[in-house]
Amino acid sequence: MYKNRKTEPALAPIGVFDSGVGGLTVVREIMRQTPSERIVYFGDTARVPYGSKSKNTILRYSRQIIRFLRTQNVKAIVVACNTASALALPDIQKELDIPIIGVVQPGAKVAAETTRQKKVGIIGTEATVNSAIYTHMIQAVDPDIQVISRACPLFTPLVEEGWLKDPVTEQVAARYLDTFKESDIDTLILGCTHYPLLRSLIGRLMGNSVQLVNPAYETASALKNLIEQEDLCNPIPPQLQNDMYQFYVSDAADKFKQFANSILPYDIETTKQINIEEY
Amino acid sequence: MYKNRKTEPALAPIGVFDSGVGGLTVVREIMRQTPSERIVYFGDTARVPYGSKSKNTILRYSRQIIRFLRTQNVKAIVVACNTASALALPDIQKELDIPIIGVVQPGAKVAAETTRQKKVGIIGTEATVNSAIYTHMIQAVDPDIQVISRACPLFTPLVEEGWLKDPVTEQVAARYLDTFKESDIDTLILGCTHYPLLRSLIGRLMGNSVQLVNPAYETASALKNLIEQEDLCNPIPPQLQNDMYQFYVSDAADKFKQFANSILPYDIETTKQINIEEY
């Protein structure tokens, strides 16, 4: 399947990208579940957010980012952005000769396996929800599962404002999640990388009977399986964290570092800025 | 001052640009105050918003957009975005041989003339507020004026969600505007193109003693004066609106048209999409 696999050494890093900082919730899970792997992360902070943009634009951006990640000799790529996974991955997958996975399929698969009432809810960006890709992937597992979705465009700005535990955020969440009140779902996918940061609020509003699925966690598990199957695991244990993990952004990095240091288990010392439009 | 002015016919359009849809509030004022002028508008919907990005990125984007607008033979340019006016205009102004104005200076000038207590408030994006350019321009008129500013990053997503008259928006506004409670300002600049859409809410919260300054209105007045002074007024009265006004975007145009048709005095029929990264 992956023609050049044998020429990509297992020592090479995993490439991970996102529209901005949100994908760091996926990076955190990859660090936990595959601690021997090197990571090159790219956050498209100059063009963030993707969630309100069109498929063609997101596809063009994703292709540029993958061209950049290939210059870093990555052995596999994780699309750590729900919107790019939903809109760009199906096309990009066909164009690559290294393994690539997104966050949508692992999340959809676990949700389909989790639901007992056969009713799954999804929250995400407008672009993700309108793509209906979660619905397609869940119904590919079991066509009888009913899927109810709701775009929550204010969640990301609220998280970035830092209002995680705030009466305003609670009211916004209550209004968005009201969509699921009558529908009797028992499983809800947090279909945007920022939403796990609102996990306790969303869990409280949905109640104990609803299981929350965090695609970041499921994606890191799927990546672990994938590199094991493909014989791509790094045999060398980690040395210094700052050598193992490289962070690139397309816009100045102060805010990125701040957010990263609040999410990751260690403090990032340097981030590098590149002009992604040149790729 | 403007070397090539005589080769730019008065019949040519005015170029107007913004990070997205917000600049249409400026376009609306230009249509009202100079109804004979043709307009070419560019909204950078593929890279919106600018308000959380760095000076270098906004400068690069603004230069690309100006290169595009020059291909449309514009006779003058209006930077209808507070963030780009604050961060890019000072550099760009030196590079151009046609007149260019932004929204910051006209707003700052009127605010400095309006305040009696010599205390002016400013609300805007993080980038605009951090640039402190409103403060510099107000104090250039009168160094004794005290300027108090507050970034309001949730206002734009709330406006784009359509929650204009909403208890959530009211609470967010109350919290942001609380900054001005003790400061006794008598003048407040709406320093982001989306904010005039929250004008009645902001006015109610600030009370009758505070004058709101809308830079969109002041910028259209300044443009009118400028083209009169420079002998650039279009002598031909308008024909069909769709010929007079051209709308370009960098990302697919559905949402743009929807928003435009809610703001402008007539319905836009077509918008054209270009790849701004090629300029």
Side-chain angles (χ1 to χ4, degrees), chain B:
Chain B
M1 179 179 176
Y2 304 114
K3 282 174 280 177
N4 290 349
R5 179 159 61 86
K6 294 297 167 201
T7 65
E8 301 281 347
L11 293 170
I14 311 278
V16 182
F17 77 88
D18 177 51
S19 58
V21 297
L24 294 170
T25 60
V26 180
V27 167
R28 176 173 60 180
E29 291 300 334
I30 297 173
M31 287 174 174
R32 278 183 193 153
Q33 296 187 39
T34 48
S36 298
E37 294 304 324
R38 294 170 60 209
I39 296 171
V40 176
Y41 182 87
F42 177 80
D44 198 359
T45 49
R47 304 185 295 197
V48 69
Y50 286 3
S52 54
K53 290 162 194 171
S54 70
K55 177 179 167 166
N56 281 342
T57 293
I58 292 161
L59 193 53
R60 191 172 77 246
Y61 290 173
S62 299
R63 286 186 174 126
Q64 287 174 325
I65 295 166
I66 286 170
R67 282 194 286 272
F68 162 70
L69 289 173
R70 298 301 298 261
T71 68
Q72 305 299 302
N73 297 314
V74 296
K75 65 185 174 188
I77 291 175
V78 178
V79 186
C81 169
N82 279 269
T83 305
S85 297
L87 277 76
L89 186 59
D91 289 270
I92 284 169
Q93 226 156 8
K94 300 170 199 153
E95 302 162 1
L96 273 183
D97 54 11
I98 56 170
I100 183 166
I101 60 168
V103 289
V104 169
Q105 175 147 37
K109 184 168 168 285
V110 168
E113 291 163 359
T114 303
T115 182
R116 297 187 174 194
Q117 318 269 12
K118 294 193 186 290
K119 282 189 182 165
V120 172
I122 291 153
I123 51 176
T125 65
E126 282 178 286
T128 299
V129 165
N130 292 341
S131 77
I133 191 165
Y134 269 109
T135 307
H136 295 150
M137 287 199 172
I138 288 168
Q139 292 179 344
V141 180
D142 181 348
D144 291 338
I145 295 174
Q146 193 189 336
V147 182
I148 300 113
S149 60
R150 172 69 150 121
C152 304
L154 288 167
F155 276 175
T156 296
L158 284 164
V159 167
E160 298 205 339
E161 183 70 323
W163 294 9
L164 298 183
K165 291 180 182 176
D166 191 285
V168 164
T169 308
E170 186 149 346
Q171 286 167 69
V172 171
R175 199 170 319 170
Y176 283 147
L177 299 176
D178 194 54
T179 301
F180 304 109
K181 215 166 193 174
E182 304 296 313
S183 64
D184 210 25
I185 59 166
D186 61 6
T187 306
L188 178 66
I189 300 177
L190 308 179
C192 173
T193 51
H194 279 74
Y195 298 178
L197 300 169
L198 298 175
R199 190 190 180 105
S200 66
L201 170 62
I202 295 168
R204 186 155 45 78
L205 289 167
M206 294 306 296
N208 285 336
S209 60
V210 176
Q211 291 280 326
L212 302 187
V213 173
N214 178 0
Y217 179 85
E218 309 306 338
T219 302
S221 302
L223 175 70
K224 186 166 188 274
N225 291 340
L226 176 74
I227 59 175
E228 281 168 6
Q229 274 166 29
E230 297 286 333
D231 209 9
L232 282 171
C233 296
N234 190 347
I236 311 287
Q239 305 289 322
L240 288 172
Q241 282 177 316
N242 283 329
D243 288 340
M244 284 193 74
Y245 304 132
Q246 305 286 329
F247 296 89
Y248 290 85
V249 290
S250 50
D251 188 48
D254 272 7
K255 210 179 159 186
F256 179 89
K257 264 172 69 178
Q258 224 177 339
F259 199 87
N261 292 345
S262 76
I263 288 183
L264 297 179
Y266 77 104
D267 275 2
I268 293 180
E269 277 168 32
T270 53
T271 56
K272 293 166 205 152
Q273 190 183 345
I274 59 161
N275 183 355
I276 193 65
E277 293 180 6
E278 287 171 359
Y279 287 86

Side-chain angles (χ1 to χ4, degrees), chain A residues 162-176:
Chain A
W163 294 9
L164 298 182
K165 291 178 181 176
D166 192 285
V168 164
T169 309
E170 186 150 346
Q171 287 168 69
V172 172
R175 200 172 318 171
Y176 283 149

